[in-house]
Amino acid sequence: MTERQVVMARGDGRPGGGGWIAAGRCQLLSLGGLVVAAAGLLVLCVLALVPVRVGLGVLPAAARRLRRLADRQRLLAVTWSGVAVGPSEPPAVGDPERSARGPATLLGSEGFWRDLRWALLEPWVGGTLVVLPLTLLYYGLFGLLVQPFIWRRIDDGNWYAFIHVHSTGAMLASAALGLAFLGAGLRLAPRALAWHARWTRRALTAPYTSQLERRITQLTDTRAEALDAQAAELRRIERDLHDGAQARLVSLGMTLDDATRLLDTDPAAARTLLLQVRATSERALQDLRELVHGIHPPVLADRGLGDAVRSLALDSFLDVHVTVGLPGRLPPPVESAGYFALGELLANAGKHAGAAEVWIDLRHTEGALRITVTDDGHGGADPARGSGLRGIERRLSSFDGTLALHSPQGGPTTATLEIPCASFLPKTSSSSGTG
């Protein structure tokens, strides 16, 4: 699970669930621990072959498989127990650019060794935690459901815990004890599940110093990207002004000069030129309006993100359905980032996905603006192949925002944008609802 995807996972608010549900999850974790152990042993075998260069080619694939298991464990911890586990660390073995650097980068990755250490310890530590309630549960079921039917067929060596089962009274006592074991196992299962999630967090979360270093690196990168984007935007504005409004204003002045010279000698021609001046001034004004709209749409500044998105939907040739659940205005930079990112997604839906209908949902939940865009196109969108999607990621990264994309071949495509923001400004947009 990449950082882009994992950050968005949220628990169901019921740590462990009910007794039987938690017991079932403990059973799945105990079986999954065997898979994790097998993956860890596989990586160890590959590492043993690295000195003779045989394992160098296989190591990235083995590490990638191990990372998938670790990411799945992170997801289970947050969805089953509400315990958030730190996201995967670079080098992301699923990232082609980083994988291309070779096994040397992988061997120097602290995250890789953390994954391996977790895989080797999971069967012992995690397995013990989830097996304990299962042992009580199965032993209780044995005393409750099996002992009453077999005690007559077994000789005097039939013991259940500390009860010698050789009579009807002892059998009933063992059944009662089995019921107690069963109840204890069911009560313990949610706690064991929570303990397992905390163990997973401890095993897979990077130390604070590592997180701080990564955060500094990320901020440095996003600052550089923000500066590049700002410089590119300034160049675009200058180019648009030079090629658009400025050229028309120059033409307007020259036409006025010609009209002035002809005013006394050929009033009819001068009148025609003045009409051209009027048309040129209108086009220049339209160019300026479009330029301002591209910098910061007036409706976004005046009415907020909800109404701006509705306006965007009305201008689109697609059939766009907008649902807004924002309690008020967001900080202007956040609104601007969300608006232009959404505009890019809407353009992609019509231009690349061949969609005819789009659904947009805007919410503010858990301290973040969440925008979900779903279209009925043919899918297959990939940020690695689309500069527009990469541009959205760069735009959101300046705000620690994320883009999660689910776009299987054949569609539909669902893009979820999240931008952290907590504060609200006084509400000025129209009432929330579906537009």
Side-chain angles (χ1 to χ4, degrees):
M1 184 167 48
T2 66
E3 185 170 351
R4 183 189 318 147
Q5 296 166 329
V6 77
V7 195
M8 310 307 105
R10 294 291 183 269
D12 55 8
R14 298 183 306 152
W20 286 106
I21 295 176
R25 290 171 174 175
C26 287
Q27 183 70 72
L28 292 176
L29 287 175
S30 65
L31 297 175
L34 300 177
V35 178
V36 172
L41 291 175
L42 174 64
V43 173
L44 277 183
C45 293
V46 172
L47 286 174
L49 297 175
V50 166
V52 293
R53 304 183 66 84
V54 177
L56 290 177
V58 189
L59 183 59
R64 195 157 39 240
R65 186 177 298 277
L66 183 61
R67 173 60 58 88
R68 290 198 193 101
L69 291 174
D71 287 341
R72 180 169 180 76
Q73 203 68 39
R74 288 182 171 91
L75 184 61
L76 293 180
V78 73
T79 53
W80 285 358
S81 303
V83 176
V85 183
S88 305
E89 300 172 59
V93 290
D95 188 331
E97 294 181 2
R98 294 184 182 277
S99 296
R101 297 178 183 175
T105 303
L106 196 60
L107 292 174
S109 165
E110 187 181 351
F112 165 71
W113 293 107
R114 183 174 298 103
D115 289 347
L116 181 57
R117 185 170 59 247
W118 162 76
L120 297 177
L121 292 177
E122 167 64 16
W124 303 98
V125 182
T128 301
L129 292 175
V130 296
V131 162
L132 183 59
L134 295 177
T135 303
L136 291 172
L137 191 149
Y138 287 130
Y139 195 55
L141 288 175
F142 177 77
L144 183 63
L145 302 178
V146 180
Q147 278 289 356
F149 301 100
I150 66 170
W151 70 274
R152 292 180 185 278
R153 303 177 184 178
I154 303 178
D155 57 16
D156 292 342
N158 182 21
W159 286 80
Y160 182 75
F162 52 85
I163 299 176
H164 184 199
V165 187
H166 62 285
S167 64
T168 302
M171 179 272 292
L172 293 176
S174 68
L177 184 60
L179 185 62
F181 280 138
L182 177 63
L186 292 177
R187 287 182 63 85
L188 184 60
R191 294 178 181 275
L193 205 59
W195 293 337
H196 186 274
R198 284 196 283 272
W199 144 251
T200 301
R201 179 173 61 186
R202 186 177 182 83
L204 290 179
T205 301
Y208 178 73
T209 52
S210 299
Q211 295 184 39
L212 194 59
E213 291 175 0
R214 187 173 50 173
R215 178 67 176 152
I216 292 173
T217 303
Q218 181 185 6
L219 288 176
T220 303
D221 293 342
T222 55
R223 186 184 65 174
E225 291 177 351
L227 291 174
D228 291 343
Q230 185 181 33
E233 186 67 8
L234 286 175
R235 288 194 296 271
R236 183 189 69 81
I237 294 172
E238 290 175 356
R239 184 177 62 251
D240 290 349
L241 279 172
H242 181 270
D243 298 342
Q246 180 178 337
R248 294 191 191 283
L249 289 174
V250 170
S251 173
L252 185 148
M254 297 174 63
T255 307
L256 277 175
D257 290 340
D258 293 341
T260 303
R261 285 194 295 271
L262 294 174
L263 193 59
D264 296 331
T265 59
D266 190 352
R271 184 173 181 277
T272 302
L273 291 176
L274 288 174
L275 291 175
Q276 292 180 8
V277 167
R278 179 180 179 183
T280 303
S281 66
E282 290 176 351
R283 287 196 293 271
L285 182 60
Q286 182 63 28
D287 287 345
L288 289 174
R289 284 173 177 167
E290 291 176 355
L291 184 61
V292 171
H293 189 275
I295 297 172
H296 197 78
V299 65
L300 180 62
D302 297 339
R303 309 287 304 173
L305 183 60
D307 286 349
V309 172
R310 290 191 184 96
S311 174
L312 195 65
L314 291 174
D315 292 339
S316 174
F317 66 91
L318 301 173
D319 189 6
V320 184
H321 308 274
V322 181
T323 303
V324 179
L326 300 176
R329 293 291 302 269
L330 301 171
V334 173
E335 288 189 333
S336 180
Y339 175 84
F340 285 106
L342 198 152
E344 181 71 26
L345 289 175
L346 202 56
N348 286 348
K351 185 177 179 181
H352 302 297
E357 202 164 3
V358 178
W359 294 266
I360 299 175
D361 184 79
L362 291 89
R363 303 282 168 189
H364 186 275
T365 57
E366 301 179 5
L369 168 65
R370 176 174 293 185
I371 303 175
T372 304
V373 182
T374 305
D375 66 57
D376 62 350
H378 52 64
D382 184 359
R385 294 186 287 109
S387 59
L389 295 174
R390 291 290 300 161
I392 292 175
E393 289 183 327
R394 285 193 297 270
R395 183 186 293 273
L396 299 184
S397 66
S398 302
F399 300 87
D400 283 345
T402 57
L403 167 67
L405 191 67
H406 179 69
S407 182
Q409 291 293 341
T413 295
T414 299
T416 303
L417 291 73
E418 283 206 354
I419 307 175
C421 59
S423 61
F424 279 94
L425 302 176
K427 184 173 183 178
T428 58
S429 61
S430 62
S431 59
S432 301
T434 302

